[in-house]
Amino acid sequence: MRRTLLLTMMLLPGSILVGHPAFSETLTLTPQPLTEWKPVYAEIEPRDQVPARARIGGTITTLDVTEGDLVEAGQRVALIEDTKLLFQIEGLDAQLDAYNSQLEKAQDDLTRGESLSERGVISTSSLQALQTNVTVLEGQITSLQAERQVVSRQIEEGEVLAPEAGVVLDVPVSKGAVIMGGEQVALIGAGGTFLRLGVSERYADRLSEGDTLQILGQISDQTSGQISGPISGQISGADGIAIGTLAKIYPLIQGGRVEADVEVEGLDDRFIGRRVQVQLPVGSHEALLVPQTALSQSGGLDFVQVEIGDQRIERVVVPGNEVMREGVLNVEILSGLSAGDVVVIDHE
């Protein structure tokens, strides 16, 4: 026994009314808005590319990281040594020893002078001279200690630290190399990853922040998953479709291209700079959609069964792109059907 169920397709995008299980059902075709997509390529980029720079010049004696390593903020990535700083420390230590010896003698002289002054043996001016000598030596020692702290700090700054937590993208130096202060020792990719794409300026006015985009191909380490939103479907390996959001559009146009950033959840950041195909919404048109199960092939032609009154006839159609709507694969019919036709969907 065959049941026939009349379905009406509403003018809402992606709304396909599904009947109760039956051997066959029918639906009345109504034009639906269909988004037009333009394929472009985007590259996986880190949000921030922060260089870890040398703060002093010298020789790289230790290189702690290589490309691909994960680092934490403040972690040492290299050690730079400058032998001249060590010589300066030794010279300052020798001066401090000499001034400390002079200070001890001057303090002894001051103590004796104070004792003699109490007995009236030396004059007040002589005592003041002894006190001034002690004060001068103490000031010189303080100055040398401050200078030594500066040199010690420079030696400590030989440690090149990661400015942010992230992955090491590039290490343009090697152990034993001589570098100057301010040179880059490592490049850190921090803040997660996103997709950066460049499109022709002719589409600039059609892009808006918050737009939904299709991302094709394997963009995460997940093998499968369900996608929700304006476009529904199944992620399955390299043939899956994911959903991204246009997060930022840059106002500067260079070389006739507009740059934009796309937010994608679960983006695989193992390879920075990898190209991923992205579909941009650049327009829409009215389309007639039928489930893929309504099509049949014979003799190299595509047929759709149409119900006219009590009769069912086969019509030759020209199918277009496949569209996933609410988990059902539909096919756009370019010619052969008209709005209002009642299409029969057979279930085997």
Side-chain angles (χ1 to χ4, degrees), residues 37-38 61 97 99 122 145 156-157 187 189 198 215 233 272 274 276 289 307 341:
W37 303 92
K38 175 179 175 57
T61 58
D97 290 341
Y99 279 117
I122 62 173
Q145 289 175 340
E156 293 176 1
E157 289 179 346
L187 183 63
I215 294 92
I272 302 299
R274 184 162 65 94
V276 177
L289 300 178
E307 186 175 78
D341 287 343

Side-chain angles (χ1 to χ4, degrees), residues 62-76:
T62 304
L63 197 59
D64 298 323
V65 297
T66 186
E67 290 83 355
D69 289 348
L70 297 176
V71 295
E72 297 295 332
Q75 178 180 334
R76 192 183 79 174

Side-chain angles (χ1 to χ4, degrees), residues 242-255:
I243 299 301
T245 303
L246 201 58
K248 184 176 182 179
I249 302 173
Y250 292 89
L252 181 61
I253 296 178
Q254 293 181 319

